[in-house]
């Protein structure tokens, strides 16, 4: 099993002090967390994309490029690239550049994105968002694979023998399809033979497990080898401590702050208490053995080989957050790496183009 640390760069006040960090300090915290993830042995670091408050993650290519310059080994993920909102040509240019600058460490998780505010910002409607996502991916995928592209498109100007630069480093880049609640993203992934990444953060695991089962069925329907299928899954929170009592006590302020935010924003409350949240959500809060057992229970439903956890402290004391990540990597991760298989592909650049490596070594 492989492990990612992921951030959406939320910019909410600290749940204990009520103080919101300056924007520059919040970005600095993201960079520090990426360095910590590489130091502790995480396999990847992901930056989300949101174009609405309270998130600062509107430009993941820029943030990931900075992280690429500071790191050497860790793979760089988007979580997710909101292709329904983006021009696929421009998105290709940004990410192909980033892939070169990082030495072929880029992986994309794409999705339509969510939220009324960001749809309104880009004049995308609930009726056309899935069609936009599919069209953008079709164009993006072809540009990455073909030197010249002709495409009759609906949501951007058509292309005729278009050449887009730079040409790829990874040929091709691996693209995961982020899925939360809709079969549209599952179908797109299965049709192209691409891996699936289940959000698995907002609800109990059952609806996510149902979507993954549907993905497996559609994968075989489209004629792909079941041995080549890969699934990733998210977690709603992480805090590992020596005992469950310590973990619950440390995580309670974070949960209560999130609960208050949901109520203030008029969002549905799915898990009314911390105990219910730990029991029924995907959150990994507890002793090392409790976390191992819970991941195994979810693996029985998902069959996933990649797991993402939150990179941010999210209101946890910085020392406690680091201690939790250290305990996860030193005690939990080795067991899961041994007992749950890796994805069925190399965790490395995919067929990079030949040439001198004058960029990051």
């Amino acid at each position: 099993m492989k492990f990612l640390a992921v951030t959406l760069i939320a910019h909410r006040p600290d749940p204990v002090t009520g103080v919101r960090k300056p924007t520059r300090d919040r970005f600095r915290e993201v960079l520090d967390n990426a360095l910590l993830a590489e130091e502790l042995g995480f396999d990847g670091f992901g930056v989300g994309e949101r174009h609405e408050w309270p998130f600062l993650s509107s430009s993941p290519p820029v943030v990931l490029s900075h992280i690429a310059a500071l790191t050497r080994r860790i793979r760089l993920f988007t979580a997710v690239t909101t292709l329904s909102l983006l021009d696929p040509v421009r998105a290709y240019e940004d990410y192909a550049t980033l892939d070169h600058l990082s030495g072929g460490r880029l992986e994309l998780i794409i999705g339509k994105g969510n939220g009324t505010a960001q749809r309104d910002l880009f004049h995308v409607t609930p009726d056309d968002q899935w069609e936009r996502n599919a069209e953008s991916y079709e164009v993006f995928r072809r540009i990455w694979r073909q030197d010249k592209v002709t495409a009759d498109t609906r949501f951007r100007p058509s292309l005729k023998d278009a050449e887009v630069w730079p040409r790829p480093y990874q040929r091709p880049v691996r693209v995961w399809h982020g899925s939360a609640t809709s079969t549209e993203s599952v179908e797109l992934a299965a049709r192209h033979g691409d891996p699936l990444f289940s959000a698995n953060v907002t609800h109990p695991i059952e609806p996510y497990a149902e979507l993954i089962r549907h993905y497996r069925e559609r994968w075989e329907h489209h004629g792909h080898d079941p041995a080549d299928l890969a699934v990733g899954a998210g977690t709603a929170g992480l805090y590992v401590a020596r005992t469950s009592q310590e973990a619950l006590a440390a995580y309670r302020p974070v949960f209560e702050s999130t609960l208050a935010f949901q109520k203030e924003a008029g969002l549905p409350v799915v898990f009314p208490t911390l105990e219910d949240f730990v029991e029924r959500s995907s959150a990994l809060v507890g002793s090392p053995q409790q976390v191992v057992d819970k991941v195994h229970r979810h693996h029985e439903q998902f069959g996933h080989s990649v797991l993402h956890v939150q990179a941010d402290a999210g209101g946890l004391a910085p020392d406690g957050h680091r201690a939790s990540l250290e305990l996860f990597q030193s005690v939990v991760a080795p067991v899961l790496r041994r007992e749950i298989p890796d994805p069925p592909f190399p965790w490395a650049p995919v067929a990079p183009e030949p040439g001198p490596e004058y960029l990051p070594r």
Side-chain angles (χ1 to χ4, degrees):
M1 178 168 258
K2 300 294 186 182
F3 301 98
L4 316 181
V6 172
T7 178
L8 298 180
I9 321 184
H11 196 211
R12 289 161 46 193
D14 183 282
V16 177
T17 67
V19 175
R20 180 184 286 114
K21 290 183 174 69
T23 298
R24 183 180 182 279
D25 291 353
R26 183 67 183 97
F27 280 122
R28 180 70 253 178
E29 187 175 57
V30 171
L31 302 179
D32 290 342
N33 287 337
L35 289 169
L36 177 61
E38 180 164 84
E39 174 191 337
L40 295 181
F42 279 88
D43 302 292
F45 189 86
V47 174
E49 181 175 339
R50 295 290 188 277
H51 300 272
E52 58 188 339
W53 187 252
F55 303 101
L56 302 177
S57 51
S58 58
S59 187
V62 176
V63 178
L64 287 170
S65 289
H66 197 140
I67 292 171
L70 298 174
T71 58
R72 288 296 177 268
R73 177 196 57 79
I74 200 165
R75 293 192 67 75
L76 308 172
F77 281 73
T78 61
V80 301
T81 296
T82 54
L83 277 182
S84 67
L85 309 179
L86 305 178
D87 183 318
V89 175
R90 191 70 186 95
Y92 166 84
E93 292 172 333
D94 284 343
Y95 284 114
T97 300
L98 168 56
D99 199 35
H100 278 278
L101 293 174
S102 67
R105 289 186 282 146
L106 176 66
E107 301 207 21
L108 297 175
I109 307 175
I110 68 161
K112 71 167 181 63
N114 54 24
T116 301
Q118 63 181 10
R119 281 202 308 265
D120 292 346
L121 186 64
F122 288 89
H123 293 257
V124 173
T125 72
D127 294 331
D128 68 20
Q129 59 187 346
W130 284 111
E131 294 177 56
R132 286 177 179 273
N133 185 64
E135 178 183 287
S136 290
Y137 181 52
E138 298 285 353
V139 173
F140 183 95
R141 180 184 177 89
R142 290 176 60 188
I143 294 173
W144 207 287
R145 287 165 170 78
Q146 301 173 17
D147 290 338
K148 292 185 178 181
V149 172
T150 296
D152 184 15
T153 50
R154 176 184 172 192
F155 297 106
R156 59 145 288 125
S158 61
L159 301 172
K160 183 172 178 57
D161 293 330
E163 299 179 68
V164 189
W165 303 94
R167 298 312 301 144
Y169 184 81
Q170 295 185 85
R171 294 179 179 267
V173 70
R174 185 155 41 243
V175 177
W176 302 69
H177 293 248
S179 171
T181 58
S182 176
T183 58
E184 281 88 345
S185 55
V186 166
E187 175 63 28
L188 191 63
R191 173 154 42 95
H192 286 293
D194 294 331
L196 184 75
F197 217 108
S198 174
N200 191 36
V201 295
T202 306
H203 303 285
I205 70 166
E206 287 77 16
Y208 303 110
E210 179 58 34
L211 275 178
I212 292 170
R213 286 191 290 271
H214 182 68
Y215 168 64
R216 293 179 183 277
E217 293 169 3
R218 298 304 295 170
W219 178 277
E220 294 194 39
H221 170 82
H222 289 290
H224 304 302
D225 187 342
D228 296 332
L229 182 148
V231 172
T235 58
L238 173 72
Y239 196 84
V240 190
R242 291 180 304 160
T243 68
S244 60
Q245 292 82 1
E246 291 179 47
L248 288 170
Y251 201 82
R252 193 172 298 278
V254 178
F255 172 80
E256 291 178 349
S257 171
T258 301
L259 186 63
F261 174 79
Q262 291 171 340
K263 292 178 178 178
E264 181 181 349
L267 299 173
V269 174
V270 180
F271 308 104
T273 67
L274 174 59
E275 289 71 19
D276 184 47
F277 177 68
V278 172
E279 175 64 27
R280 294 195 301 124
S281 82
S282 61
L284 303 176
V285 178
S287 69
Q289 189 59 55
Q290 287 174 315
V291 170
V292 167
D293 291 344
K294 189 169 186 179
V295 173
H296 270 293
R297 290 198 302 273
H298 289 189
H299 179 71
E300 290 173 1
Q301 296 289 320
F302 296 162
H304 57 313
S305 54
V306 181
L307 180 74
H308 90 50
V309 302
Q310 290 180 339
D312 300 315
L316 296 166
D319 289 348
H321 175 58
R322 181 182 179 112
S324 169
L325 292 177
E326 288 176 341
L327 195 57
F328 179 86
Q329 280 290 8
S330 63
V331 179
V332 175
V335 175
L336 296 175
R337 290 185 194 277
R338 185 171 62 249
E339 296 178 351
I340 297 177
D342 283 345
F345 40 70
W347 201 258
V350 181
E353 64 182 3
E357 189 160 340
Y358 58 90
L359 286 169
R361 298 182 182 278

